[in-house]
Amino acid sequence: ECERAKAAAAIKCDVLLALQQHDRAAQVAGDFLRDDDMCVPLLVVRGEALARQGNVDNAVRHLHKALQLDPDNARARRSYKRVKGVEQRKRDGNAAFAAHDYARAVALYDEALAMDKEMAPVLAQLFSNKAAALMKLGKYAAALTACNAALDIDDKYLKALKRRAAVHTALDEHQQAVYDYEAALKLAGDDDRELRRALRDAKAALKRAARKDYYKILGVGKDATSTDIKKAYRRAALEHHPDKAEEAERDAATKRFQDVQEAWSVLSDAQKRAKYDAGQDLEEIEQGGAAGHHGAHHMDPNDIFQAFFQQQGGGGFGGGLFGKKTFSKQPKPSVKMKMLAWDKIPNGKAPKTIFQKENMLTKAERDETIAFDYRDIEQHFMRKPLPSVS
């Protein structure tokens, strides 16, 4: 009678395992084993139930005892080999990670994952550990996939949630990082200082990402010196000036030109640049009242452009080339004459006379004035100060 009850209990436990009720299966088998811990079928089924709960060490003990009692039990041997193999590869992977051999760690975690599909808590740990190793290798997209797999198994796995938030940050997916840190903080509790700090950082990164990247607009790094920024602005302002654009592209060029002026107005001011680097947006920067420039979005970009090149010793541009709101396709003739006069004064005439009298230029010289391009501006107006003309 007792043997039939144990056999029935073993069958019941198998059904519970099939229904994913691992806790219940372990409990039923445990109740009988308290009276008789020599029942091999119950030792095996309880060992498998414990393994699926993630209680690997206890599972190994049950399966090992079952094999000691019945060395020929095929089910006990298969389960013992599988559970032991998964745990060993996990440990080896952790050791490889600690030794900074991240590629080997990933390979070992993959081997463990391929050996079993039922040990859910262990599988979640393996995916999370694999993600950590992939992050060290700079493979953030693959790391995100591994984190997702871990959280598909256990959506309350705190370590995987924090790790996925870090992956999102590395991928510049700041909104998703904020979501994950908020979820992690909810699980861990509001007293977790580390998570609160990480959440603040993620929100700051999200805010920064929503701003215009002034460094990128000017084509410089964040460690650029004031001289680097000045040179970059000079180049970008000339390159993106609307006067250079075809009619169909004039609006887009005007927008790029405005962005260049806005970038210059912030990065050329030490106080504004420091606030920008700290994560403030343009509105916050200008509310601080930093001296040196008027608010970038309240100032005509052409005024910024004019002021810059006047400060570089190039003299005023008047209402002609690049003058305020004069986005004409070609510069005025008088400016063309200035360009030629500075480069080549015919017959030794004084520049002032040439500026005033166009007919003193030969036909070849007039043709030459029409052929100049914007590179001449950099050569003559920025590297060679133009004499003032009364």
Side-chain angles (χ1 to χ4, degrees):
E1 186 70 27
C2 182
E3 293 301 320
R4 285 198 298 270
K6 291 178 183 178
I11 294 173
K12 180 179 180 179
C13 288
D14 281 333
V15 173
L16 291 170
L17 287 178
L19 295 172
Q20 304 295 312
Q21 297 182 25
H22 307 137
D23 292 350
R24 180 63 179 153
Q27 180 184 352
V28 170
D31 290 342
F32 278 90
L33 288 171
R34 275 195 293 270
D35 296 328
D36 181 7
D37 62 356
M38 307 290 283
C39 180
V40 172
L42 288 173
L43 283 169
V44 173
V45 76
R46 179 169 167 79
E48 293 175 348
L50 291 169
R52 296 183 187 187
Q53 291 177 285
N55 191 348
V56 176
D57 290 340
N58 205 7
V60 169
R61 283 196 296 270
H62 278 71
L63 294 169
H64 184 258
K65 185 173 183 177
L67 284 174
Q68 286 180 320
L69 295 171
D70 184 3
D72 295 328
N73 190 295
R75 179 176 174 178
R77 189 182 307 109
R78 285 194 306 270
S79 294
Y80 178 81
K81 182 178 180 180
R82 182 177 66 253
V83 174
K84 191 73 174 176
V86 169
E87 183 62 15
Q88 185 60 54
R89 282 162 180 76
K90 179 187 171 187
R91 289 177 180 172
D92 291 344
N94 292 347
F97 185 95
H100 309 293
D101 190 350
Y102 304 117
R104 176 164 172 74
V106 170
L108 288 165
Y109 293 141
D110 280 337
E111 287 182 19
L113 288 165
M115 293 184 70
D116 186 272
K117 303 299 180 184
E118 303 291 341
M119 299 164 60
V122 177
L123 297 178
Q125 293 171 8
L126 287 167
F127 278 120
S128 181
N129 291 358
K130 177 182 176 181
L134 288 167
M135 290 172 69
K136 291 293 187 180
L137 293 170
K139 299 180 178 181
Y140 293 106
L144 180 60
T145 299
C147 286
N148 288 337
L151 290 165
D152 285 342
I153 295 170
D154 181 3
D155 60 0
K156 292 182 174 58
Y157 188 8
L158 182 59
K159 183 179 288 187
L161 197 56
K162 291 163 63 177
R163 192 157 284 157
R164 187 172 70 177
V167 172
H168 281 310
T169 298
L171 292 171
D172 292 330
E173 298 170 348
H174 302 295
Q175 184 62 72
Q176 290 89 335
V178 169
Y179 291 150
D180 279 348
Y181 279 128
E182 287 176 339
L185 192 59
K186 187 176 181 180
L187 286 174
D190 290 338
D191 58 343
D192 191 316
R193 294 182 179 180
E194 180 184 351
L195 272 177
R196 288 208 310 271
R197 182 171 58 252
L199 178 58
R200 284 197 304 270
D201 291 345
K203 287 181 176 179
L206 176 61
K207 188 174 183 179
R208 287 194 298 271
R211 304 175 309 165
K212 295 177 183 177
D213 189 338
Y214 292 146
Y215 292 103
K216 184 175 181 180
I217 288 171
L218 293 185
V220 296
K222 294 183 178 180
D223 58 348
T225 65
S226 59
T227 300
D228 294 333
I229 290 172
K230 184 179 293 186
K231 290 179 179 178
Y233 168 70
R234 176 188 297 164
R235 181 174 57 252
L238 292 172
E239 178 182 351
H240 297 296
H241 198 285
D243 279 359
K244 294 189 62 178
E246 298 293 338
E247 188 65 32
E249 300 175 357
R250 187 68 55 80
D251 290 343
T254 300
K255 179 63 173 63
R256 290 193 297 270
F257 183 68
Q258 290 171 342
D259 286 343
V260 168
Q261 309 314 312
E262 185 178 305
W264 164 252
S265 73
V266 172
L267 298 185
S268 63
D269 184 298
Q271 294 181 15
K272 290 184 178 182
R273 181 180 179 182
K275 292 180 179 181
Y276 176 80
D277 290 343
Q280 293 187 15
D281 56 26
L282 184 60
E283 292 293 336
E284 291 173 321
I285 291 171
E286 293 184 351
Q287 285 173 5
H293 296 286
H294 297 293
H297 67 295
H298 297 304
M299 189 174 182
D300 191 304
N302 289 280
D303 292 339
I304 301 175
F305 182 86
Q306 284 275 91
F308 174 85
F309 287 110
Q310 286 174 344
Q311 292 170 1
Q312 303 309 299
F317 290 94
L321 179 62
F322 298 140
K324 183 176 180 180
K325 298 181 180 178
T326 57
F327 296 157
S328 57
K329 179 60 182 173
Q330 294 294 338
K332 288 187 174 181
S334 62
V335 177
K336 293 181 182 179
M337 291 174 65
K338 291 178 184 179
M339 295 291 295
L340 179 61
W342 182 247
D343 184 59
K344 179 179 178 183
I345 302 176
N347 302 321
K349 299 293 184 179
K352 179 177 177 180
T353 304
I354 297 171
F355 296 160
Q356 293 173 340
K357 296 183 180 181
E358 182 179 0
N359 59 11
M360 292 186 66
L361 298 176
T362 66
K363 181 179 184 303
E365 289 165 347
R366 284 197 296 270
D367 291 342
E368 185 179 346
T369 64
I370 296 173
F372 87 92
D373 63 27
Y374 284 79
R375 287 171 296 185
D376 295 325
I377 299 172
E378 183 176 3
Q379 178 182 354
H380 294 282
F381 281 74
M382 286 175 282
R383 297 179 185 169
K384 296 180 180 179
L386 190 68
S388 59
V389 179
S390 59

